[in-house]
């Protein structure tokens, strides 16, 4: 009896490929939505007006304080419990069509989850904007809105790269729960291969290696991003800048 039957893997490559494509779609679209939605929400999160900042804080607290699997199941199974959703279903509204699809429910739940984390990451980076940059903006006569657009947000986006890289990797790995709502992502493909060939070791080890490879790629890309946009923050070598 072979310890690792490669024929199980090679015979199921098309299914693994489809699962990989599903994982990349879910992760990529969720991160895209979460990133762009987080920028205005981070600004509201830092607002001195409690009526503005408190709802955003409550949103981030809920989504960071509960498991993403619970959030996904609440969206997928719980949407039909809402009165307005049942009314939309009875009226044939397109909104019900969206929440009926597991793909949209997974994107919606993943997007809200990563947005909550990104809001706090970006807000924390904005809080730590160097005082000198803010003083320079005032000296240039910039309004608060103009300073946010040209100084605070661009600077915060650069400085959040190392922390945000962790969120991207966690989102990739967390997307493995998509199979809980019948989507065949990488983990779902491995589960199908296991049930068909009774080969859990081959199926899940192969998928684990794919996730590992994707993580290495993401780490490398973020390292390049740090070298490109955070080079000025790197410690200077002893003697750098001195004339010989």
């Amino acid at each position: 009896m072979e310890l690792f039957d490669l024929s199980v893997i090679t015979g199921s490559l098309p299914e693994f490929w489809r699962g990989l494509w599903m994982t990349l779609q879910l992760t990529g679209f969720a991160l895209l939505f979460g990133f762009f939605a987080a920028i205005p929400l981070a600004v509201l999160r830092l607002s001195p007006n409690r009526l503005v900042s408190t709802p955003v804080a409550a949103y981030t607290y809920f989504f960071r304080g509960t498991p993403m699997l619970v959030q996904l199941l609440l969206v997928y199974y719980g949407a039909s419990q809402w009165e307005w959703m049942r009314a939309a279903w009875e009226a044939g509204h397109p909104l019900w069509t969206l929440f009926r699809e597991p793909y949209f429910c997974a994107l919606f739940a993943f997007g809200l989850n990563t947005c909550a984390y990104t809001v706090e990451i970006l807000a924390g980076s904005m809080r730590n904007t160097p005082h000198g940059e803010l003083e320079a903006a005032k000296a240039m006569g910039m309004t608060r809105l103009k300073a946010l657009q040209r100084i605070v947000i661009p600077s915060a986006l650069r400085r959040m790269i190392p922390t945000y890289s962790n969120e991207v990797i966690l989102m990739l790995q967390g997307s493995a729960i998509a199979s809980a709502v019948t989507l065949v992502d990488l983990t779902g493909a491995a589960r199908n291969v296991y049930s068909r060939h009774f080969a859990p070791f081959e199926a899940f080890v192969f998928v684990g290696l794919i996730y590992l490879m994707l993580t290495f790629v993401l780490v490398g890309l973020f390292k390049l991003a740090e070298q490109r946009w955070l080079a000025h923050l790197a410690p200077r070598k002893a003697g750098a800048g001195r004339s010989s």
Side-chain angles (χ1 to χ4, degrees):
M1 180 178 181
E2 296 183 10
L3 180 62
F4 196 93
D5 188 358
L6 281 176
S7 64
V8 173
I9 304 301
T10 56
S12 306
L13 282 177
E15 187 167 1
F16 282 120
W17 169 252
R18 290 190 295 270
L20 173 61
W21 179 235
M22 175 64 71
T23 293
L24 293 177
Q25 284 185 68
L26 292 172
T27 304
F29 288 140
L31 288 170
L32 196 64
F33 166 79
F35 180 82
F36 285 105
I39 295 176
L41 289 177
V43 175
L44 298 178
R45 180 73 176 87
L46 298 179
S47 172
N49 187 340
R50 301 296 290 272
L51 294 177
V52 173
S53 61
T54 300
V56 180
Y59 155 65
T60 62
Y61 183 82
F62 173 80
F63 278 92
R64 292 188 306 133
T66 56
M68 189 162 63
L69 177 59
V70 172
Q71 298 162 17
L72 174 60
L73 295 178
L74 280 175
V75 172
Y76 184 65
Y77 293 110
S80 60
Q81 303 299 314
W82 302 332
E83 185 64 35
W84 59 272
M85 186 62 72
R86 289 201 297 268
W89 173 69
E90 293 171 358
H93 196 278
L95 186 64
W96 167 252
T97 305
L98 289 176
F99 279 93
R100 189 179 60 185
E101 296 297 326
Y103 183 82
F104 176 80
C105 290
L107 275 182
F108 187 70
F110 292 171
L112 290 178
N113 181 275
T114 190
C115 180
Y117 281 93
T118 308
V119 166
E120 292 297 336
I121 292 171
L122 180 55
S125 185
M126 291 169 66
R127 287 191 192 97
N128 294 322
T129 301
H131 185 69
E133 294 183 7
L134 299 176
E135 289 298 320
K138 291 180 181 178
M140 293 293 293
M142 292 185 185
T143 63
R144 184 174 183 274
L145 179 60
K146 189 65 68 175
L148 276 173
Q149 293 175 341
R150 294 189 175 182
I151 304 295
V152 178
I153 293 178
S155 175
L157 289 174
R158 289 194 298 269
R159 286 181 284 105
M160 69 179 272
I161 290 175
T163 308
Y164 184 64
S165 65
N166 294 329
E167 168 58 20
V168 172
I169 292 170
L170 289 174
M171 187 69 246
L172 169 67
Q173 296 172 353
S175 67
I177 65 174
S179 57
V181 291
T182 72
L183 291 175
V184 184
D185 64 335
L186 271 174
T187 305
R191 191 171 296 163
N192 290 344
V193 171
Y194 159 55
S195 63
R196 188 165 60 248
H197 296 280
F198 302 101
F201 188 74
E202 289 84 348
F204 289 109
V205 166
F206 182 67
V207 164
L209 290 174
I210 295 177
Y211 278 114
L212 190 63
M213 180 191 67
L214 292 174
T215 300
F216 278 136
V217 170
L218 287 174
V219 169
L221 290 175
F222 276 103
K223 287 293 183 184
L224 292 176
E226 290 180 34
Q227 294 172 8
R228 171 66 177 82
W229 285 295
L230 296 179
H232 64 289
L233 297 179
R236 301 185 67 181
K237 294 182 181 179
R242 298 180 182 178
S243 57
S244 55

